[in-house]
């Protein structure tokens, strides 16, 4: 599979390779499915699949949706020989709400003092290109105000995100709020969406018309 992958894969120290494997296994041990990502080689990614035209970050396995696993032993085998990126499929254990850095910082400051307490606080990761990703409970679509708003992207079934400590050409993906800080709990999607809507309005961004009274999606019960 890896006999001819073009550019040389980025050199990582033994400690960095071990860290990638340990972190991927830790995600799996907490029930988050993991799939190996293509390896960084100079400023592009190589997956070892003959003729793959994708040079950006992408899954290393063609059937990644079916191969993704939360079995720690299986996940560990993927990182024994290659410094794969760590990718987390969305729409399974969690969905992701992706926003730009300025909006992400504003929302993170807001949820820190939100009256809903832990119900709106959860893991948040940041990419080196300035994208903030809020992990939330899966299954809820975007509110109508956000459905056609290009400032917010929802990652659900069929999508994935790069997770720390994955390297991108611009730097390393990191946690702004690590899962351990959030006790591996996920916030209600609509509570986070409400905070996003408030932040967008505060920034003077016009959104779709508000929902009529009584039509507001309510947070779902759950832990």
């Amino acid at each position: 599979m890896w006999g001819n992958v073009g550019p040389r894969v980025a050199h990582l120290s033994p400690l960095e390779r071990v860290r990638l494997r340990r972190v991927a296994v830790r995600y799996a041990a907490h029930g988050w499915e993991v799939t190996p990502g293509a390896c960084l080689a100079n400023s592009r990614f190589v997956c070892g699949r003959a003729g793959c035209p994708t040079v950006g970050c992408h899954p290393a396995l063609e059937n990644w949706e079916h191969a993704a696993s939360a079995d720690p032993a299986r996940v560990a085998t993927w990182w024994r020989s290659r410094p794969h990126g760590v990718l987390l499929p969305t729409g399974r254990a969690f969905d992701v709400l992706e926003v730009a850095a300025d909006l992400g910082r504003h929302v993170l400051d807001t949820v820190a003092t939100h009256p809903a307490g832990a119900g709106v606080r959860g893991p948040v990761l940041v990419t080196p290109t300035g994208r903030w990703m809020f992990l939330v409970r899966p299954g809820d679509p975007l509110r109508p105000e956000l459905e056609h708003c290009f400032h917010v992207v929802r990652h659900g079934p069929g999508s994935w995100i790069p997770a720390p400590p994955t390297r991108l050409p611009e730097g390393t993906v990191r946690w702004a709020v690590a899962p351990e800080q959030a006790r591996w709990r996920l916030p209600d999607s609509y509570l986070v969406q409400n905070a996003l809507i408030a932040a967008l309005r505060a920034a003077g961004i016009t959104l779709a018309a508000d929902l009529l009274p009584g039509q507001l999606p309510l947070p779902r019960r759950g832990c």
Side-chain angles (χ1 to χ4, degrees), residues 11-105:
H11 174 74
L12 297 182
S13 70
L15 183 61
E16 289 176 300
R17 286 174 178 262
V18 168
R19 184 181 178 220
L20 280 168
R21 184 171 69 249
R22 285 181 176 173
V23 173
V25 168
R26 187 170 77 245
Y27 293 148
H30 281 86
W32 290 5
E33 292 188 4
V34 179
T35 193
C39 299
L40 181 62
N42 298 326
S43 61
R44 58 172 292 186
F45 289 84
V46 292
C47 63
R49 286 185 274 135
C52 179
T54 307
V55 298
C57 185
H58 64 285
L61 304 177
E62 189 170 8
N63 64 335
W64 66 269
E65 288 189 72
H66 296 96
S69 176
D71 176 5
R74 183 179 185 187
V75 169
T77 63
W78 285 326
W79 275 267
R80 281 180 183 158
S81 60
R82 306 295 300 182
H84 292 290
V86 181
L87 307 185
L88 303 177
T90 56
R92 302 182 183 190
F94 53 80
D95 286 349
V96 168
L97 301 175
E98 177 185 343
V99 299
D102 54 348
L103 182 58
R105 293 190 192 96

Side-chain angles (χ1 to χ4, degrees):
M1 178 179 178
W2 289 91
N4 181 18
V5 296
R8 179 175 295 178
V9 171
H11 174 74
L12 297 182
S13 70
L15 183 61
E16 289 176 300
R17 286 174 178 262
V18 168
R19 184 181 178 220
L20 280 168
R21 184 171 69 249
R22 285 181 176 173
V23 173
V25 168
R26 187 170 77 245
Y27 293 148
H30 281 86
W32 290 5
E33 292 188 4
V34 179
T35 193
C39 299
L40 181 62
N42 298 326
S43 61
R44 58 172 292 186
F45 289 84
V46 292
C47 63
R49 286 185 274 135
C52 179
T54 307
V55 298
C57 185
H58 64 285
L61 304 177
E62 189 170 8
N63 64 335
W64 66 269
E65 288 189 72
H66 296 96
S69 176
D71 176 5
R74 183 179 185 187
V75 169
T77 63
W78 285 326
W79 275 267
R80 281 180 183 158
S81 60
R82 306 295 300 182
H84 292 290
V86 181
L87 307 185
L88 303 177
T90 56
R92 302 182 183 190
F94 53 80
D95 286 349
V96 168
L97 301 175
E98 177 185 343
V99 299
D102 54 348
L103 182 58
R105 293 190 192 96
H106 186 106
V107 171
L108 191 59
D109 290 342
T110 299
V111 301
T113 57
H114 197 283
V120 75
R121 300 169 202 160
V124 183
L125 68 80
V126 182
T127 73
T129 57
R131 303 300 295 177
W132 284 53
M133 301 191 183
F134 292 76
L135 278 64
V136 298
R137 294 177 198 162
D140 290 324
L142 289 176
R143 280 184 44 166
E145 295 94 328
L146 299 176
E147 189 174 1
H148 302 292
C149 177
F150 67 87
H151 297 280
V152 179
V153 177
R154 172 182 172 255
H155 295 271
S159 187
W160 52 266
I161 59 169
T166 298
R167 276 193 185 186
L168 301 179
E170 300 83 3
T172 303
V173 182
R174 64 179 178 85
W175 290 109
V177 179
E180 293 83 0
Q181 290 176 274
R183 299 182 180 180
W184 295 88
R185 295 175 181 170
L186 297 169
D188 185 275
S189 177
Y190 285 135
L191 286 176
V192 177
Q193 290 187 47
N194 291 346
L196 286 169
I197 289 171
L200 288 165
R201 286 183 177 140
I205 296 172
T206 302
L207 301 174
D210 290 345
L211 292 172
L212 296 174
Q215 291 184 315
L216 181 66
L218 298 176
R220 294 176 294 111
R221 294 185 181 274
C223 54

